[in-house]
Amino acid sequence: APQDDETARPAQAGAVGDPAAEETRRTPAPEEIAGPVEVSMKFEGIDFKKLATDMLLPKTFKRALKDAVVAIAGNGLKLEHVDVTLDGPSCLAKAALKLPEGVLP
């Protein structure tokens, strides 16, 4: 006799109720998270030579990036939790977020 389609198929990996899938979907404990969360941003139209030679511009640019990261990230993130670095002529900015205690990525 033909079988119903649902009973003929094996359970799919990752299905709700599958213990193996539940284990892979769990939220990691804070001690399981290794290091800061990192974000990279590439900018076009930036005169890196001017940015590198100006006394105030790099600090202002980094502060604006920190403000933007904090505003977007939320979750109690503050300016002191964000470290911004600028990478030369490629105009690549990297932000490392040191998450406050109890905040997960």
Side-chain angles (χ1 to χ4, degrees):
Q3 293 184 345
D4 180 80
D5 278 340
E6 291 301 314
T7 59
R9 283 187 246 150
Q12 292 179 332
V16 174
D18 176 7
E22 294 300 321
E23 178 61 24
T24 60
R25 281 192 290 244
R26 73 177 179 77
T27 302
E31 62 273 6
E32 295 176 314
I33 300 170
V37 173
E38 295 181 352
V39 179
S40 296
M41 299 161 269
K42 183 169 174 74
F43 294 89
E44 295 182 8
I46 302 285
D47 183 348
F48 183 76
K49 197 173 198 177
K50 183 174 182 179
L51 184 65
T53 57
D54 190 287
M55 297 281 289
L56 187 58
L57 197 53
K59 187 175 182 175
T60 305
F61 187 65
K62 286 182 180 183
R63 174 59 190 258
L65 291 176
K66 281 185 173 191
D67 287 340
V69 168
V70 167
I72 292 168
N75 287 332
L77 197 71
K78 297 180 181 173
L79 291 175
E80 63 261 20
H81 299 127
V82 181
D83 182 38
V84 173
T85 57
L86 301 176
D87 179 32
S90 66
C91 287
L92 184 67
K94 295 181 182 179
L97 289 66
K98 298 171 199 114
L99 301 177
E101 183 146 343
V103 174
L104 299 174

